[in-house]
Amino acid sequence: MQWTSQPAGGAIDLNAVGGTSSSDVYLVGDNATILHGSGTSWTAQTSPAPAATRLLAFFAIAPMDLYIAGGGNTVMHSGAGGGWVTQTVVGTTELRGVWGVAGHIWAVGSGGTILKSTGGGTWSPETSGTPNELRAVFGTSATDVWVVGDGVVLHSDGSGAWTADAAGVPTDVNLRAIGGRPGGPVWAVGNAWTIVRRDTSAWVVEPTGLSVDDPAGDVLQAIFAPSAAEVFAGGAGQTILHRP
């Protein structure tokens, strides 16, 4: 496996990537940056967010149903008409994660913030029960949704109620990302090179084989499962892990 660089233009920090296929990829980042890629080239798209906004999360429900979240409680949507439209979200929270299915979309962020939308353009808060920083959201369906963050794992059946469900996660671990497949399984990653997999009723730590020299700095920050039998994780120091 070999990685090659592609010119994206400028020197902006890019914070999230997603898409619907290898020829329909989005990168979002600082200074309200939105880039759309065809697989070989990247084109900047017009963002309605203030120029200094940090865009931190991207999720595609479908090719014409796309969401971006970021600083200043920013949520943007691109639908069938194309272009990006800012949706109604009150507050100044930094939103770091967004995920959903048609009619059920969640965004999470600082101060224990969880927001829910039914796809109509407005977002309502849900009670997380924690003031901790929330960093990522993922579900296997609209009735099986997970949120992870600093010392917290939350689960919801989609009804609006969230419960703590961190059994099996080491108490000194802050989780940074979560992902998996529709119907499961689900994995989450965090500091001290931690990877946990959701079992029937608890989380199970999966060994990475990496030596932990700096528990705070040795952090995995991204997880992607292209199939139920294959998972990639990435993090500090250009660390890339693969689970066949």
Side-chain angles (χ1 to χ4, degrees), residues 75-164:
V75 177
M76 294 182 288
H77 178 253
S78 181
W84 291 94
V85 177
T86 300
Q87 298 199 324
T88 304
V89 183
V90 178
T92 57
T93 301
E94 184 171 82
L95 297 172
R96 301 194 183 99
V98 61
W99 177 89
V101 297
H104 304 273
I105 310 100
W106 288 268
V108 303
S110 58
T113 296
I114 300 178
L115 303 175
K116 170 79 181 291
S117 173
T118 58
T122 60
W123 294 74
S124 301
E126 294 188 338
T127 301
S128 68
T130 178
N132 292 17
E133 303 297 288
L134 303 180
R135 300 188 180 274
V137 54
F138 173 80
T140 66
S141 71
T143 58
D144 180 33
V145 188
W146 295 90
V147 170
V148 298
D150 291 358
V152 61
V153 179
L154 303 174
H155 182 257
S156 176
D157 62 3
S159 65
W162 292 87
T163 58

Side-chain angles (χ1 to χ4, degrees), residues 166 168-174 194 196 205:
V169 178
T171 56
D172 58 347
V173 167
N174 294 324
T194 297
V196 291
V205 176

